[in-house]
Amino acid sequence: MKNHTRIVHAGSHPEEHQGAVNPPVYHVSTVTYPTVQAMHEAERHPYDGMRYGRFGTPTSFAFEEAVCALEGGYRSISTASGLAAITATLAALLSAGDHLLMVDSTYGPSRRFCDQHLARWGVTTTYYDPKIGGGIAALIRPETKLVYVEAPGSHTFEMQDIPAIAAAAHAAGALVVMDNTWATPLFFPALSKGVDVSIHAATKFIVGHSDAMLGVITCADERLWKKIKMAVTASGSCAGADEVYLGLRGLRTLGVRLRQHQESGLRLAQWLEGRPEVTRVLHPALPSDPGHALWKRDFSGACGLFALELAPCSEAAVAAMLDGLSYFALGYSWGGFESLILPSDREIVRTAMPWKTAGKMLRIHTGLEDPDDLIADLEAGLARLTAAIG
Ligand SMILES: Cc1ncc(COP(=O)(O)O)c(C=O)c1O
């Protein structure tokens, strides 16, 4: 079965729901038992079937089954947000005295969790250059338990050689966890490339409509799944009933939406590359991108999120460009149907390798509007920028 077929049918059990194509939304906290024996029986299988709202419902099980089928894992776990998926995974797999190797280009709040929380709990974090590849072996210590990867970084878009990093990590007995949100389960088969735990901020492309917070974690084996499921249940970071339903609904159309995000995103990126106001475009699917060879080798597609560096200009000129846009809204998120733009310099924090640019950075999420309209909007914006420079 091809993935575009799997995405439509995985986790679908109409026979369990009186023929309904989609599972009902189980709004539930309390689950009751007919007998004491039934209650004790349920305790023996805490994560299968209904036990209490926090442990999962048929709606969350259907979403998890569908994502897991796409990821090719042992089992998936839904969470209250993408960040909850990341923090629960790190909390489940790391203990006091352990060492974490964290990619320097990681999503800001993931970095803050390491610095502000894991540090207090006795876990040491070393940030590494995303381009390190197999060279990561030199940073691995006896107490290194986990190597965290994210490719491309969601602001600077460096690719990572994930198979090489995973080989080095596994040779030293360390696990590999990936934030795979950019590629979605369709464009990067993380587990088959050596990743042990693949995480998605389903809030982005999977939900796809900017109306729900949701995360999902897929584990390569039962041992990892049990540890992380226990952490999610124990910390209370389970997904909400409506959110998990929206995740499953979004997943069904992810394939067609992504085709359009990819096509329009590339058109915008190529158009921007030819503009004199733009110094460079950071998009791994462009042949000019330093990570293009890795992207081409390992990924089967690109979403519509990328960045660009403007020729040096003032903040006021950037504001003149962005404030007057008609279709690109100013917003921090991505993955929804609507286009977004973000002045992104402040989001880039680096400690392993300095990030140096002469010009200001913008991040673009290409939505589902007609790309001709989006290009016309950017063209008018760049004209305002040039006029503001004077
Ligand atoms: C790359 C990446 N990972 C994780 C997250 C966190 O997802 P959420 O906002 O659902 O917590 C985000 C959110 O912007 C993100 O961009």
Side-chain angles (χ1 to χ4, degrees), residues 80-86 106-110 148 150 152-155 179-182 199-204 212-215 305 332-334 363:
S81 68
L83 190 57
I86 294 162
T106 194
Y107 173 59
S110 304
Y148 188 99
E150 188 174 327
S154 64
H155 286 289
D179 183 333
N180 195 15
T181 304
W182 185 87
I199 295 173
H200 294 274
T203 307
K204 312 297 179 198
M213 304 295 298
L214 186 66
L305 188 78
Y332 286 102
S333 195
W334 44 288
R363 186 178 77 177

Side-chain angles (χ1 to χ4, degrees), residues 41-58:
E41 181 57 29
E43 274 168 22
R44 274 194 279 277
H45 313 282
Y47 306 125
D48 297 312
M50 295 262 277
R51 186 172 168 219
Y52 177 65
R54 200 176 341 112
F55 288 72
T57 69

Side-chain angles (χ1 to χ4, degrees), residues 306-323:
F306 66 96
L308 58 101
E309 184 185 340
L310 290 166
C313 65
S314 65
E315 273 191 27
V318 177
M321 172 185 176
L322 302 189
D323 288 351

Side-chain angles (χ1 to χ4, degrees), residues 63 73 89 209 327 339 390:
F63 173 65
T89 300
H209 293 72
Y327 304 121
S339 288

